[in-house]
Amino acid sequence: MSVFSHPAYDNHEEVAFYHDAKSGLKAIIAVHNTNLGPALGGCRMWPYADDAEALNDVLRLSRGMTYKSAMSGLKLGGGKSVIIGDPRKQKTPELLHAMGDFLNTLGGRYITAEDSGTSVADMKIIGERSEFVSGVIAGQEHGGDPSPSTAYGVFVGLKAAAQHRWGREDLNGMKVSIQGVGNVGFRLAKLLKEAGAELFVTDIFQENIDRAVNELGATAVGADEIFDLDVDMFAPCALGAILNDKTIERLKVGAIAGAANNQLAEERHAQVLKERGILYTPDYVINAGGIIDVYYQQMGQAKGEYDADQVKAHIETIATTMHEVFERAEESGETTAHIADRVAEERFGHEDALNKSDSAAA
C-alpha cells in the first residue's frame, strides 16, 4: 500500500523516511499541515510490530497535532516523528544524533520535542546535531519536559467533563480508572488523588503500577480488566485506538477523559460512545497542555524567557474550550469529536470546513 492510498493519509504535506545503517536508526517524519506555522510534534520511539504499524501511527499522530494546535490557538502546524525500536534497549547517542541529521533534511518545516519513549535528555542529544528541537529550555520548571503540563491540561479538562456530565464542582470521592501511569498518567493520578478521587490503575510496566500503588494508594488492576470497572470516569493515558467495538461495549463509565492520542479506533466510535451515554472529551483538545508549554518554550528560546504563569493560564483555557465543545454537541445532536474537528478545521483552513462555512453563509 502506498502512502497516498493509506487509510490514515489526510492530505499530508510531506512524509519522509530515513535509515542510518551505522546507528541503526529507522524513522519516519510526517508533516500534516503548516498553514498556521511550522509543524511541531513529539518524537516517539516505540518497538512497533512492523513498518506498517509505525506509518499508521505517525500519520494519525501528525494529523492530531494540527488539530491540537489549532484548537489551542497556537501559530503552529502539525507534525510527528517516530523511531522504530525499543527505547529501553536500542536507544544510543549515535542513533539520536542520526535523528538530528534527519530533522535537518526538512529545513525547519518540522520541529520535534519529547514523546513516548524519549526524554528531555534525548532531545538535548538530538539538539547537538539539529536546531529544530524544542522542550529543552533551562528556565522551565521541569527542564523543558512538557509532561507535567500535559497532565495538568488533562486534569483541567477532566474537571470540565465532570462538571458538564454531573454538574460537579469537585472530584472528591469520584472513581477514576487510568490506563497508563507513565510520565503523564502518574502526574494526572497525583492531581486526581490530591482532589480526592479514588484511583484504579494499570500499565504495561509493573514498576509504574507499583509507584502509583505505593505513593498514591491506587488500586492495581489487570491490563484487560480496566475496561470492565464500574467507575465514574476512564482516563486512557497510554497508546491510541483503545476505544473500539470490543472495548466500548464493556465500559461502565459516564465519561472518558485522558491523555492518550487517537483514542478512537475509528471516527464512528464517537457515535457509538454517544449512543451509550458516555461523554467523550476529544483527545487532542484535552491533552494540549504539553504543546502549549513547548510553544511558549519555542517562542521564548531566543530571548531566554519563559513565563510559567502565562503558560498555566493558557493551559487552563482548555476548560473553556471543552465546555464550548460539549455545549455545541448537545445543542446540535452531533458528537463531541465531530464538533471539535469542525472548529479546528475552520481555524487551520481545512478545505472541507471552509466549503461548509461558505455554503452556510450563502
Side-chain angles (χ1 to χ4, degrees), residues 121-139:
D122 297 332
M123 292 304 108
K124 289 181 178 179
I125 295 174
I126 293 174
E128 292 172 0
R129 297 289 275 268
S130 176
E131 64 181 293
F132 307 117
V133 177
S134 192
V136 293
I137 190 166

Side-chain angles (χ1 to χ4, degrees), residues 147 152 175 238 304 341 358:
S147 298
Y152 182 63
K175 295 180 179 180
D341 281 356
D358 291 342

Side-chain angles (χ1 to χ4, degrees), residues 43-100:
C43 175
R44 173 171 292 185
M45 184 170 185
W46 197 256
Y48 294 101
D50 50 39
D51 299 349
E53 185 179 66
L55 177 60
N56 185 68
D57 204 29
V58 77
L59 289 175
R60 295 191 71 193
L61 289 168
S62 57
R63 177 185 183 275
M65 292 306 301
T66 298
Y67 285 67
K68 185 181 301 188
S69 290
M71 286 296 279
S72 301
L74 305 177
K75 295 180 180 180
L76 292 173
K80 205 78 172 184
S81 56
V82 297
I83 298 173
I84 302 171
D86 187 335
R88 297 191 169 203
K89 299 177 181 178
Q90 296 171 273
K91 189 192 300 178
T92 63
E94 292 75 21
L95 181 142
L96 295 173
H97 282 154
M99 188 65 196

Side-chain angles (χ1 to χ4, degrees), residues 39-261:
L40 194 154
C43 175
R44 173 171 292 185
M45 184 170 185
W46 197 256
Y48 294 101
D50 50 39
D51 299 349
E53 185 179 66
L55 177 60
N56 185 68
D57 204 29
V58 77
L59 289 175
R60 295 191 71 193
L61 289 168
S62 57
R63 177 185 183 275
M65 292 306 301
T66 298
Y67 285 67
K68 185 181 301 188
S69 290
M71 286 296 279
S72 301
L74 305 177
K75 295 180 180 180
L76 292 173
K80 205 78 172 184
S81 56
V82 297
I83 298 173
I84 302 171
D86 187 335
R88 297 191 169 203
K89 299 177 181 178
Q90 296 171 273
K91 189 192 300 178
T92 63
E94 292 75 21
L95 181 142
L96 295 173
H97 282 154
M99 188 65 196
D101 294 337
F102 184 18
L103 287 174
N104 291 335
T105 65
L106 274 74
R109 292 187 298 281
Y110 168 71
I111 301 166
T112 198
E114 76 152 64
D115 201 293
S116 300
T118 61
S119 65
V120 172
D122 297 332
M123 292 304 108
K124 289 181 178 179
I125 295 174
I126 293 174
E128 292 172 0
R129 297 289 275 268
S130 176
E131 64 181 293
F132 307 117
V133 177
S134 192
V136 293
I137 190 166
Q140 199 253 23
E141 180 183 0
H142 302 281
D145 182 0
S147 298
S149 291
T150 302
Y152 182 63
V154 175
F155 179 68
V156 167
L158 187 150
K159 288 197 297 182
Q163 185 177 23
H164 184 82
R165 180 68 172 78
W166 295 286
R168 295 188 56 147
E169 296 295 333
D170 65 79
L171 304 178
N172 192 45
M174 181 168 285
K175 295 180 179 180
V176 182
S177 57
I178 306 176
Q179 182 191 48
V181 278
N183 286 338
V184 174
F186 180 79
R187 288 183 169 94
L188 173 63
K190 187 175 181 180
L191 291 169
L192 289 169
K193 177 67 176 180
E194 292 169 353
E198 183 179 352
L199 307 177
F200 301 83
V201 304
T202 193
D203 196 286
I204 60 173
F205 299 115
Q206 187 61 45
E207 60 264 34
N208 289 347
I209 296 175
D210 293 342
R211 180 174 61 162
V213 171
N214 295 332
E215 296 185 24
L216 304 177
T219 299
V221 300
D224 189 58
E225 184 186 357
I226 198 79
F227 299 107
D228 299 312
L229 300 181
D230 189 0
V231 296
D232 299 300
M233 302 189 79
F234 174 42
C237 296
L239 296 181
I242 50 83
L243 297 174
N244 53 54
D245 291 330
K246 293 182 179 179
T247 60
I248 291 175
E249 66 180 15
R250 296 164 57 186
L251 293 175
K252 304 179 184 70
V253 300
I256 296 173
N261 289 304

